[in-house]
Amino acid sequence: MGNAESNAYRNHLSRFLPEEQSDIDGVFDTLSGLSGSAGAKNGKATKKTVTLAALQAYMREPLPEQMTVRLYNGMKSIDLTGKSSGLSEQIAKEQFVIFMSNLLKGNADEKITIIMRMISKAEGPVKGKQIQEFTEDLIMSVVHVLSYRKELKGWSLENTRDSASGVKALASQLLSELKLADGTKPVGPQMMETNFDQSVIEDWVYRVPQISIFLSVVIRQGLHVLHSLPDQTKDILNLVPGCKGIKRRGLVSLFDIPSIIYINSHLPAELQHKWQLLFSSRLHGESFSQLCGHIVNKGPCIVILQDLDGYIFGGFASHSWEVKPQFQGDNRCFLFSVFPSLAVYTYTGYNDHYMYLNHGQQTMPNGLGMGGQHGYFGLWLDSDYGKGHSKAKPRCTTYSSPQLSAKEDFALDAMEVWAVGDLPAAAKGKKSILDVDPEAQALLEMAGKTRQSAGLREPIEEDEDDDDDI
């Protein structure tokens, strides 16, 4: 190894703490052992290298095969000056370390050559279709490896809706940020056939942080390297929020794993670590009173609905819901769509009609609403449970969201409300009037009436047995 090259390699190595270096050494040694290159051949010490077959054997279960091949192509793209290493089919230790250094610790400029080779083996511009395939592979690999490593924190592929459409929806959302050098954004079939050069992809990676975060997760969890060391960023630690209140209840959430990751990334940082189920129409019944009883004074929440046409959409409420005839919340609130497309719509500054909840009033509208105005909400669920609307001609004034439901006036199929972050102290200790007044409960029992609220409120309490997944 020449001096200049040796210095460059040492600089890459120095980005890692000593325990990180030994972690990387251990994985490389394991891989080179699988490659059959460990030890001496014919009495001569041979340099350890890693083959594609060894990578595939090592990552057969944690990662889909096409992602393993992409990682291999990325490693192979590291040019060790004067070594013609790009032509070699085997990965040298220096290439492995520089690959790790650039993708895990580097900026967009350092990552870009590797990412270009992961998108396409051939040099030069890449087509939109190739970027789409890479992005879908990347998201699918994140879901797969987090599930395989049991890192979904209480979520699972069984208690969330099918991730396949979520993978495509999240990929489309990330790809919508691709801009050509002149600032135009090709869409649809035109985008698939458009050529994008390296500078455009570098700009995209710089502006869309999910690409770097997802690559980091795939490398750390796929290779099982640096996954438990302290340099983990909050982006990775809170990529998936802990899930409470859904275990052993037979419920399949309206969310899929990719949409959970995407929506969670738009929440205020202090709320990203945990989601707790407060209300599900499938568990708690289709009643506006039940809905209000489960969500009032529980802190910031996510509301998600599915209409009878299969469209899935909702909103983030930055404050506790309160039943009152005034708008509430602040500019951290947003509306979102999960299906057929994944998108987040944030406040415009036009008005402060962030969130509204009213019940049992004669003079003001009764229902739950977000954005827009009375009779013309971006998202509205009527107190006559089961009916709602999403009006936007052409856009909701508060959030600039389009019509979120299939039809302007929709029929509700299912609904969930999730508390995000830690429940307020007051909410944890909330008791029914029947808990506070045993006499009232006794009178009910003497009259032969059962407690309607019993059995409905237990998921709101912090149930300890869910903590093992968080």
Side-chain angles (χ1 to χ4, degrees):
M1 207 191 290
N3 255 350
E5 187 190 327
S6 162
N7 285 340
Y9 172 62
R10 276 202 296 272
N11 287 341
H12 281 286
L13 207 53
S14 69
R15 284 174 153 182
F16 297 103
L17 298 168
E19 62 265 34
E20 292 178 317
Q21 290 182 22
S22 63
D23 202 9
I24 291 170
D25 287 345
V27 170
F28 187 82
D29 288 347
T30 301
L31 287 167
S32 62
L34 290 170
S35 305
S37 70
K41 287 183 186 166
N42 306 328
K44 285 184 186 170
T46 56
K47 206 164 183 188
K48 293 177 181 178
T49 55
V50 170
T51 61
L52 172 60
L55 266 180
Q56 287 170 322
Y58 186 77
M59 296 199 282
R60 181 163 287 124
E61 291 185 339
L63 285 182
E65 185 175 6
Q66 63 268 35
M67 183 46 66
T68 305
V69 173
R70 290 186 190 277
L71 291 172
Y72 169 77
N73 290 335
M75 291 175 194
K76 224 170 66 143
S77 73
I78 306 291
D79 183 24
L80 300 177
T81 318
K83 292 281 179 94
S84 310
S85 55
L87 304 175
S88 167
E89 292 306 307
Q90 302 196 345
I91 309 298
K93 175 75 173 283
E94 297 89 334
Q95 289 174 299
F96 188 75
V97 169
I98 294 169
F99 172 85
M100 292 287 199
S101 163
N102 283 344
L103 282 192
L104 298 182
K105 310 273 189 178
N107 56 32
D109 179 45
E110 292 173 288
K111 293 172 180 164
I112 191 58
T113 310
I114 298 173
I115 291 173
M116 289 296 284
R117 288 297 77 73
M118 288 180 73
I119 294 171
S120 166
K121 273 169 57 174
E123 293 195 14
V126 291
K127 288 210 179 300
K129 181 154 184 54
Q130 293 174 299
I131 306 169
Q132 180 191 43
E133 288 166 356
F134 163 76
T135 309
E136 288 183 1
D137 276 357
L138 182 59
I139 298 164
M140 182 173 68
S141 299
V142 168
V143 174
H144 182 96
V145 78
L146 289 176
S147 175
Y148 176 78
R149 299 287 186 207
K150 299 192 168 27
E151 292 284 347
L152 286 175
K153 303 182 185 176
W155 302 99
S156 71
L157 300 181
E158 289 71 45
N159 67 21
T160 51
R161 74 186 203 95
D162 180 43
S163 280
S165 70
V167 166
K168 290 191 176 302
L170 179 50
S172 287
Q173 172 55 35
L174 301 183
L175 290 166
S176 72
E177 295 293 326
L178 266 173
K179 286 195 295 213
L180 292 170
D182 62 4
T184 57
K185 287 186 176 184
V187 292
Q190 180 205 351
M191 187 251 178
M192 293 294 108
E193 291 307 315
T194 302
N195 284 319
F196 295 88
D197 64 26
Q198 183 162 312
S199 63
V200 168
I201 305 292
E202 183 178 336
D203 171 67
W204 178 61
V205 170
Y206 176 75
R207 286 184 298 104
V208 178
Q210 283 90 348
I211 302 300
S212 296
I213 293 166
F214 292 170
L215 279 168
S216 183
V217 169
V218 163
I219 291 164
R220 290 168 191 270
Q221 297 291 353
L223 285 166
H224 229 212
V225 63
L226 311 182
H227 59 92
S228 59
L229 291 162
D231 88 319
Q232 297 263 32
T233 64
K234 280 267 188 243
D235 290 334
I236 295 175
L237 289 176
N238 289 332
L239 182 69
V240 181
C243 168
K244 290 177 78 75
I246 199 172
K247 200 195 272 186
R248 292 188 290 277
R249 307 191 74 183
L251 181 71
V252 177
S253 175
L254 296 172
F255 281 108
D256 51 69
I257 303 295
S259 65
I260 291 164
I261 290 172
Y262 187 69
I263 301 297
N264 197 54
S265 72
H266 286 81
L267 296 178
E270 68 275 12
L271 302 178
Q272 291 180 5
H273 61 287
K274 181 169 70 175
W275 293 15
Q276 179 164 343
L277 185 68
L278 294 178
F279 174 82
S280 161
S281 57
R282 289 166 177 162
L283 290 177
H284 303 116
E286 301 186 347
S287 147
F288 195 76
S289 301
Q290 278 285 356
L291 169 67
C292 291
H294 280 80
I295 71 172
V296 167
N297 298 321
K298 297 297 189 305
C301 294
I302 288 172
V303 176
I304 183 168
L305 304 89
Q306 178 170 287
D307 67 19
L308 282 176
D309 292 293
Y311 279 46
I312 302 174
F313 50 93
F316 163 63
S318 60
H319 284 52
S320 274
W321 287 101
E322 292 179 52
V323 177
K324 60 182 183 183
Q326 290 94 30
F327 283 96
Q328 46 198 296
D330 63 23
N331 62 18
R332 296 174 302 163
C333 294
F334 58 77
L335 290 178
F336 61 82
S337 163
V338 166
F339 185 81
S341 62
L342 181 61
V344 164
Y345 304 99
T346 54
Y347 87 111
T348 60
Y350 181 82
N351 59 32
D352 61 359
H353 298 173
Y354 304 114
M355 46 192 279
Y356 175 91
L357 181 65
N358 204 18
H359 190 32
Q361 285 256 337
Q362 301 266 316
T363 53
M364 296 292 284
N366 292 311
L368 180 152
M370 293 189 73
Q373 60 201 47
H374 294 310
Y376 211 83
F377 280 92
L379 168 60
W380 174 255
L381 180 66
D382 203 86
S383 63
D384 180 6
Y385 189 89
K387 295 191 302 196
H389 71 242
S390 176
K391 296 188 179 180
K393 287 196 166 84
R395 294 265 164 173
C396 165
T397 51
T398 314
Y399 299 112
S400 196
S401 51
Q403 180 181 307
L404 300 172
S405 46
K407 302 183 183 81
E408 196 174 75
D409 292 292
F410 65 84
L412 182 66
D413 179 33
M415 178 177 183
E416 295 165 11
V417 182
W418 294 84
V420 291
D422 295 317
L423 281 179
K428 292 182 189 176
K430 276 263 188 269
K431 294 192 171 186
S432 155
I433 185 68
L434 300 179
D435 296 322
V436 178
D437 186 354
E439 197 175 329
Q441 188 180 339
L443 283 168
L444 264 181
E445 284 166 0
M446 281 164 63
K449 296 189 188 308
T450 57
R451 243 176 101 166
Q452 293 298 317
S453 60
L456 290 175
R457 295 173 301 125
E458 82 288 345
I460 300 170
E461 313 303 328
E462 295 261 348
D463 42 39
E464 296 304 315
D465 59 352
D466 273 13
D467 286 343
D468 57 321
D469 279 332
I470 292 181

